[in-house]
Amino acid sequence: NGAGASPPPAPAQVVPPPEAPSAAQVEATTPPGAPPASRVTYPPQNVEKGHPAGFEARRLWVFAGITVGYMGLYFTRGSLTYTAPVMVSEPSLPNIGMAEIGAMTSAFPVAYGLSKFAGGVLGAKFSARNMLGWGLVATAVINIAFGFSGASVAAMTTLWFINGGLQGLGAPASASILTRWFASSERGTYWGLWNTGANLGGF
């Protein structure tokens, strides 16, 4: 029977969330001399991913920048490959032969390997954006200077060695920028797209 049974629990009350204060309420609680609350603005938020508005567009611009920048590095990296046959057959460069071209092309990977290691260390301590941007400008200047170096094998080899050192800064700087803007779950896709810059630059 129901004698002595405890009464059923009361249904839980659902408390509605507090409503946002109206403009009149905010104005009434604002201390004298304080700026109007209407002037305090905040950027709209992307509720789905928790990022500020414009974040997605901005990081795509950053990604396009590092991809085009690396494409430019690859373009200046392969310039000697296309000019070497002309240099060897050019009558005004009688002291340039296959041995001299070999010395230039051998100097490049030595500097490139050392620079790529150093670039990883520097990219973690300094601005990766400056490393990539100024490295691209410097390698363009080196390529132009290479064309005006005359018939000096020593000057050409030195300039191409410096070019290799500058080229090694591109990949670590790009990696640092990409990992800061993209989550680990999406980096594989963007890494693959970024690598197309090397293919297009060396085309």
Side-chain angles (χ1 to χ4, degrees), residues 43-58:
Q45 299 290 313
N46 183 338
V47 179
E48 294 182 358
K49 295 187 178 181
H51 297 309
F55 173 82
E56 295 292 338
R58 184 173 181 181

Side-chain angles (χ1 to χ4, degrees), residues 99-115:
E100 288 71 24
I101 296 296
M104 299 175 199
T105 55
S106 298
F108 183 98
V110 174
Y112 181 78
L114 295 174
S115 175

